[in-house]
Amino acid sequence: QSALTQPPSVSGSPGQSVTISCTGTRSDVGGYDRVSWHQQTPGTAPKLMIYEVNNRPSGVPDRFSGSRSGNTASLTISGLQAEDEADYYCSSYTSRTTFEVFGGGTKLTVL
Amino acid sequence: EVHLVESGGGLVQPGRSLRLSCAASGFSFDNYAMYWVRQAPGKGLEWVSGINWNGGIIAYADAVKGRFTISRDNAKNSLYLQMDSLRGDDTAVYYCVKVLRPFYHYDMDVWGQGTTVTVSS
């Protein structure tokens, strides 16, 4: 069982927006501005998409955005494209280990 | 450009040991914390262990504590994971991951391509 809770799957049609949630506790998501989102397509290594709740690394489209409310962080993908179909994992700093912990992952299907 | 190349994976019998290595290039390795993250077949990502820039702060997931040892050699730009008493549920792709900023030990950033460990008799 993962420390952070994500929905197993979400879906949306091209052009629509989808939001993936990531719920933790005050010891991780809710207590620190250290939530990241990683994208993984089949057979490849994960790729950082969002860091520190709502920052995008260079090269990540601005269709990807992050936010947080209380103990729940969210990744929103607007203007869905077929290439966005992937697994998405949240991660957060945790005071329990002083490193990071992952969510269970969410499979995004673009209909 | 940052490159992380894992090696040392393979097929190993339960109870035996394996040592993974990660060769880093393209950044000042000795300033950055590093992680090992694994992914069992068909499963999600699981944090395994982390080490800060000088090896002074180390932590392990409960599932590997007492069996795995993380270390680094900053002179060789290399990260290691010594895995002892391996079990079937250690079967996974093991990734080496760099953090975003020097001297911080969170905010995973760049991932290697992974090395596969299979524990089976």
Side-chain angles (χ1 to χ4, degrees), chain A residues 26-88:
Chain A
R26 288 186 62 186
S27 296
D28 39 66
V29 172
Y32 309 90
D33 293 332
R34 300 293 180 185
V35 178
S36 300
W37 291 90
H38 307 266
Q39 177 194 63
Q40 186 180 36
T41 53
T44 70
K47 173 188 174 185
L48 178 66
M49 303 301 283
I50 296 286
Y51 65 95
E52 292 173 359
V53 178
N54 57 11
N55 292 282
R56 283 186 308 277
S58 174
V60 173
D62 60 6
R63 303 184 293 102
F64 291 82
S65 62
S67 62
R68 185 191 63 186
S69 177
N71 295 336
T72 298
S74 298
L75 172 70
T76 298
I77 309 171
S78 58
L80 265 180
Q81 299 182 4
E83 66 200 48
D84 299 332
E85 187 162 288
D87 294 324
Y88 291 86

Side-chain angles (χ1 to χ4, degrees), chain A residues 34 40 45 52 96 98 100, chain B residues 39 62 101 105 107-108:
Chain A
R34 300 293 180 185
Q40 186 180 36
E52 292 173 359
R96 181 174 174 273
T98 74
E100 293 200 28
Chain B
Q39 186 170 35
D62 289 344
R101 293 193 177 84
H105 53 279
D107 287 343
M108 287 177 283

Side-chain angles (χ1 to χ4, degrees), chain B residues 28-72:
Chain B
S28 298
F29 179 77
D30 55 358
N31 289 346
Y32 287 81
M34 298 293 294
Y35 285 51
W36 286 103
V37 174
R38 70 184 180 183
Q39 186 170 35
K43 302 297 185 182
L45 302 173
E46 178 186 18
W47 174 78
V48 173
S49 183
I51 184 168
N52 78 326
W53 64 277
N54 66 356
I57 301 175
I58 287 174
Y60 300 95
D62 289 344
V64 307
K65 199 172 296 182
R67 300 187 299 120
F68 289 12
T69 303
I70 192 172
S71 62
R72 63 189 299 158

